[in-house]
């Protein structure tokens, strides 16, 4: 219930993802690209052909708010009306700001003597450009310059890095929650255990609930994603148990997702999914989803 396609920084098209899900025998998946719903229609159509329910979703990158301890948060919006006018207008503005931001970031790298042509980065982009697109070209064109993509991010692309750049337009958490709810969707905080820049994540979750957050992503491929790459299964269970307890205490819905991006990460579609009961609870919160008795 949390998959990226070629419309953001994933390596499979929406149609290919539905086919992977069919082969795995999954009942439902969600396409949740970064700041775009461009892949949703293709996936829904493919899903109808192969009998897989495709949940329209999006993963919004949220503006940092230092005084609230909100750093690099990702908000999932599930069961949205992906044709909602206001949502689409806002996403278009975000994409424009991302394009302009990525060009600025590339220029900083170029000024430091790194070979990274703007056109080559954008040739990898079907919808929304992200730092991974830049990283791919840098790693390919500058062998030996960085020991790994991790070093490249640490030196240049992460918050505070030499080529880190703020976007001229992005949504605060409150604005993002409002837009998702207005589009009929359910706002869910993605991977709460993965925010290494946040000091007190539980306080952040409470603050977010006060402004309308409705869910928390519990099951997640923490061991295959930053910053917990490679943690042991017991540690991973502990992270998830901690947030399950927070969700239960606060009455937030619990979701699960793979964060599948395709090649490059050893993650499979359908890993860390959610139960039918949890899915029904999510649907009950959406004003756009087909009611459970009709689905
Ligand atoms: P952007 O959408 O441009 O903000 O880029 C965000 C994406 O960059 C994330 O979804 C990650 O896939 C990747 N990313 C962010 N920080 C790092 C990092 N320190 N190391 C590797 N990948 C990262
Ligand atoms: Zn991504
Ligand atoms: Fe994310
Ligand atoms: Fe994601």
């Amino acid at each position: 219930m949390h998959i990226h396609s070629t419309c953001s920084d994933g390596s499979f098209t929406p149609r290919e993802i539905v086919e992977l899900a069919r082969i795995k025998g999954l009942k439902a998946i969600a396409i949740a690209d970064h700041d775009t719903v461009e892949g949703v229609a293709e996936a829904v159509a493919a899903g109808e052909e192969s009998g897989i329910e495709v949940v329209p979703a999006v993963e919004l990158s949220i503006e940092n708010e230092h005084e609230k301890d909100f750093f690099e948060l990702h908000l999932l919006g599930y069961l949205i009306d992906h044709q909602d006018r206001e949502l689409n207008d806002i996403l278009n503005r975000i994409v424009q700001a991302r394009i302009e931001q990525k060009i600025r970031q590339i220029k900083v790298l170029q000024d430091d003597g790194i070979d990274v042509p703007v056109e080559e980065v954008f040739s990898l982009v079907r919808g929304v450009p992200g730092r991974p697109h830049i990283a791919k070209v840098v790693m390919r064109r500058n062998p030996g310059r960085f020991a790994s993509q991790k070093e490249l991010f640490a030196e240049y692309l992460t918050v505070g890095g030499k080529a880190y750049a703020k976007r001229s337009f992005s949504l605060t958490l409150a604005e993002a929650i409002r837009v998702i709810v207005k589009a009929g969707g359910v706002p869910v905080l993605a991977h709460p255990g993965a925010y290494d820049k946040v000091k007190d994540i539980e306080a952040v979750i409470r603050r977010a609930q006060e402004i309308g957050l409705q869910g928390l992503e519990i099951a997640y491929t923490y061991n295959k994603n930053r910053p917990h790459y490679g943690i042991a299964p017991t540690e991973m269970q502990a992270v998830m148990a901690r947030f399950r307890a927070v969700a239960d205490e606060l009455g937030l819905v619990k979701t699960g997702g793979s964060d599948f991006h395709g090649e490059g990460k050893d993650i499979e579609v359908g890993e860390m999914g959610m139960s039918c009961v949890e899915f029904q609870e999510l649907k009950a919160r959406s004003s756009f989803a087909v009611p459970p008795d009709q689905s």
Side-chain angles (χ1 to χ4, degrees):
M1 284 288 162
H2 176 166
I3 297 174
H4 296 268
S5 77
T6 46
C7 293
S8 61
D9 54 0
S11 59
F12 290 94
T13 66
R15 185 167 280 279
E16 287 166 344
I17 289 165
V18 171
E19 180 58 13
L20 291 173
R22 191 190 63 77
I23 292 165
K24 288 240 146 192
L26 301 180
K27 287 199 175 69
I29 60 168
I31 298 292
D33 274 308
H34 298 290
D35 294 331
T36 182
V37 291
E38 228 162 275
V40 170
E42 179 183 315
V44 168
E48 278 166 8
E49 289 163 26
S50 41
I52 290 166
E53 184 172 353
V54 174
V55 170
V58 66
E59 182 175 22
L60 299 172
S61 299
I62 302 301
E63 172 142 347
N64 296 339
E65 288 183 87
H66 296 237
E67 67 293 351
K68 293 184 182 150
D69 196 18
F70 292 175
F71 288 102
E72 301 250 286
L73 302 180
H74 285 178
L75 184 76
L76 292 158
Y78 281 117
L79 298 153
I80 47 174
D81 171 4
H82 62 282
Q83 293 176 323
D84 181 87
R85 178 72 196 278
E86 190 187 355
L87 174 68
N88 279 274
D89 286 349
I90 285 177
L91 293 177
N92 287 336
R93 286 180 66 192
I94 292 177
V95 175
Q96 289 311 313
R98 268 182 178 271
I99 291 171
E100 183 269 325
Q101 172 207 35
K102 298 306 164 215
I103 291 172
R104 267 190 288 139
Q105 294 187 281
I106 293 167
K107 292 258 147 69
V108 176
L109 289 159
Q110 289 174 342
D111 287 347
D112 260 11
I114 294 162
D115 181 15
V116 51
V118 172
E119 321 76 62
E120 193 168 323
V121 173
F122 282 89
S123 73
L124 303 177
V125 178
R126 166 171 163 186
V128 171
R131 281 172 282 172
H133 296 117
I134 301 178
K136 196 166 181 181
V137 174
V138 171
M139 296 309 290
R140 177 158 84 192
R141 282 206 168 235
N142 303 266
R145 174 70 178 77
F146 300 95
S148 68
Q149 191 163 305
K150 194 169 160 228
E151 324 301 322
L152 165 64
F153 266 87
E155 187 177 345
Y156 284 98
L157 298 173
T158 197
V159 188
K162 285 191 249 177
Y164 187 76
K166 205 171 142 34
R167 271 193 268 153
S168 59
F169 177 71
S170 54
L171 300 179
T172 62
L173 187 62
E175 288 164 347
I177 289 171
R178 192 191 61 78
V179 171
I180 294 299
V181 170
K182 192 150 173 289
V186 189
V188 172
L189 186 68
H191 41 68
Y195 300 119
D196 50 354
K197 305 269 178 342
V198 168
K199 289 183 199 73
D200 183 350
I201 185 63
E202 288 183 27
V204 165
I205 294 166
R206 283 169 208 276
R207 226 167 273 144
Q209 189 181 28
E210 282 168 19
I211 54 176
L213 185 78
Q214 294 188 40
L216 213 50
E217 186 170 58
I218 305 300
Y220 183 73
T221 48
Y222 284 110
N223 57 335
K224 297 176 178 179
N225 280 291
R226 287 174 315 104
H228 301 300
Y229 202 86
I231 55 168
T234 48
E235 283 177 80
M236 178 147 150
Q237 289 305 324
V239 174
M240 298 196 291
R242 174 183 174 203
F243 291 108
R244 194 175 295 116
V246 174
D248 287 338
E249 184 199 329
L250 299 177
L252 296 165
V253 285
K254 292 169 286 207
T255 71
S258 63
D259 214 356
F260 179 76
H261 279 71
E263 67 183 32
K265 279 185 195 173
D266 163 37
I267 295 174
E268 292 182 21
V269 167
E271 217 174 312
M272 293 294 159
M274 54 198 284
S275 70
C276 289
V277 172
E278 286 166 344
F279 191 30
Q280 295 310 329
E281 284 169 0
L282 183 69
K283 282 188 171 175
R285 303 250 186 164
S286 166
S287 56
F288 186 65
V290 180
D293 57 349
Q294 290 175 30
S295 66

